[in-house]
Structure formats: structure tokens, C-alpha cells
Amino acid sequence: MESCTNTGGNLISHVPPAKRHPYDQWSPDARALDLVGDKWTLLIVRDLLSGPRRFVELQRVLPGISTEQLRSRLNRMVADGMLTRKRYREVPPRVDYELTERSRDLAPVLGELARWGYEWAWGPPRASERVDLGAIFRLIPGLVNDDSAAYGTVELTVTDGRGDSPAVYRVTISPGRAEIAEGADGADGASDAQLSGPRAAWIQALSPVGERDGLATTGNRRLASLLLDLLAVGHAHEALDAGLGSAIG
């Protein structure tokens, strides 16, 4: 008998229906690619790791996707049990998309894909590439390994973010996991370390050269350095994973 999972009152089958154009191979990796192998799907998961988003917000953080492509992909992901759709009775209408447990479990997969990218495909931004530092920051939950014993909070600020207003991200690291929230609301509260700088300085810090002098660091410098290592090369030397515990103090 096929098992079911409750997601906010909606029962979804553990095994989603076959895709319109499946790989037609009885193999777990092929089944997984049936769900996440389409263009944009994994990036949608990545951009929802920091919390629910509206349709227009997803359009903003996913350059190059058309309105129809995004609508089609979101509808399919909802049907597959990858996302939930919540409608609010507001004027104008508001609809939020949020990851289900099935999708949140892809965070480590995104982390490993990012590590492979750091090793084999990373470099300075190309002229054709849009730079959205949040896209890199949102990978953090998948980059922290299960055996990490570090903990603390780090506030990341891009001083000339969207519309030249500061873009703020708050990363909470606890043993074996990390969470990220963005925006002024998500960054409320005390943090153990703060990293800030203009977009150009962040690009320098996260590019292979790894020049960090343009970033201002306050608070716990060790914790800030560990997080920068994680963002720049996919691992924080060995400190974050080896169990130095809190980098506080």
C-alpha cells in the first residue's frame, strides 16, 4: 500500500505520479531526476531554503526564467509534493510557496553540487551572469555537515544590495545544521559575528582569489572566518566539521 504524508492538511502520495516525459528507468537516481532534473527546479528549492516566497519574489531571484516557465514549474512542484501553495485573502491576492520536507531534504544535495562546482566550475563572474549574492548564501544549510559541532549566529550584509539598499541575511549555525533567514525581519536579534561590505567586496571574497580585505568583520572573527571559508570553497578548512564547538569568545 502506498504511504502518504500530511503536509498542512493535504495528503500527498509518497511516490508522485509519473512525469509527462519521464526517464522510464527503474532506478532511484532516475526517479529522483524525474522530480528535480528539470531546469530551474533545484534553484527554486535553493531560493526557498530561506523561507516562503511569493511568485514575484521568485521571479526576481531567478534571472532568465519566463513567467510561464515559472508558473508551470511551480504548479508541477506542488503536484509532486515538493512545494505547498498558501493563498491569503488580501487585495491584491497573495500566494506563498514553501518547501515541503521532501524538498528540504535536498539541501545536502545542493551543498554537494555546490562543492563540485567550487572544485570544477568556479571562477569570477562572467559578463553575462547576474550577481545575486543571496543565491550563494542560501546554499549554507546544505554546506554544513552533519558532524559539525560549531554554533553561533552570523549576520551577513551586502551594503549596496537590492536597489542600493542593504541586503541582510542571518545565518544560525548549530551542531550538524544551519538555517538562513533574510531581510530586516529575519536579521532581528543579536548575532555573534557580523560581516558587511559592498557587492564588489563580497565578489572578491567569494571568488577563487579569496581577497577579504574589503569586508568589515565585527564580533567573533573566528566564527565569521569559518563561515567565509564555507561560502568560498564549500568547506571551512576542517574547523567547522572537526568539532571546535562554539567559535564564540
Side-chain angles (χ1 to χ4, degrees), residues 1-17 77-85 100 102:
M1 182 175 178
E2 207 169 88
S3 61
C4 292
T5 304
N6 190 308
T7 58
N10 298 319
L11 289 177
I12 62 169
S13 168
H14 177 67
V15 181
M77 292 175 73
V78 170
D80 286 342
M82 303 287 289
L83 303 179
T84 60
R85 181 192 286 119
T100 62
R102 170 179 284 163

Side-chain angles (χ1 to χ4, degrees), residues 21-240:
H21 303 291
Y23 286 97
D24 283 333
Q25 188 176 77
W26 191 59
S27 168
D29 54 345
R31 284 283 187 92
L33 288 171
D34 279 345
L35 289 174
V36 302
D38 288 327
K39 186 177 181 180
W40 302 112
T41 299
L42 284 176
L43 298 188
I44 290 171
V45 172
R46 178 201 67 192
D47 288 332
L48 290 174
L49 283 173
S50 59
R53 288 184 186 272
R54 300 173 66 180
F55 186 93
V56 293
E57 293 171 336
L58 284 167
Q59 277 188 309
R60 177 177 60 82
V61 298
L62 291 168
I65 193 169
S66 70
T67 298
E68 192 52 44
Q69 277 180 313
L70 181 57
R71 182 176 292 112
S72 173
R73 191 67 71 243
L74 292 174
N75 286 342
R76 182 68 207 192
M77 292 175 73
V78 170
D80 286 342
M82 303 287 289
L83 303 179
T84 60
R85 181 192 286 119
K86 186 174 182 180
R87 301 181 185 276
Y88 294 86
R89 293 185 177 179
E90 297 179 1
V91 178
R94 174 186 165 193
V95 179
D96 279 354
Y97 293 89
E98 187 171 7
L99 298 179
T100 62
E101 182 180 1
R102 170 179 284 163
S103 291
R104 284 192 292 270
D105 278 351
L106 285 167
V109 177
L110 285 164
E112 289 304 315
L113 185 62
R115 288 189 178 96
W116 187 90
Y118 282 127
E119 181 70 20
W120 296 105
W122 198 224
R126 297 171 181 150
S128 61
E129 291 179 323
R130 173 182 163 188
V131 176
D132 177 5
L133 292 160
I136 299 177
F137 298 159
R138 287 187 285 273
L139 290 167
I140 293 171
L143 289 170
V144 174
N145 290 338
D146 289 341
D147 56 357
S148 165
Y151 62 89
T153 59
V154 184
E155 186 175 294
L156 312 174
T157 302
V158 183
T159 56
D160 55 351
R162 184 185 176 194
D164 290 332
S165 298
V168 184
Y169 305 81
R170 181 183 178 87
V171 179
T172 303
I173 302 171
S174 54
R177 62 178 300 176
E179 296 179 352
I180 181 168
E182 54 186 293
D185 293 339
D188 283 347
S191 55
D192 302 303
Q194 301 81 35
L195 284 160
S196 66
R199 184 170 59 170
W202 279 104
I203 291 172
Q204 286 293 317
L206 301 182
S207 292
V209 174
E211 177 55 61
R212 302 178 179 181
D213 290 348
L215 295 179
T217 305
T218 55
N220 189 317
R221 292 180 176 272
R222 176 191 266 182
L223 184 61
S225 179
L226 289 176
L227 190 60
L228 273 178
D229 287 346
L230 196 69
L231 284 167
V233 293
H235 61 83
H237 297 307
E238 296 179 357
L240 195 61

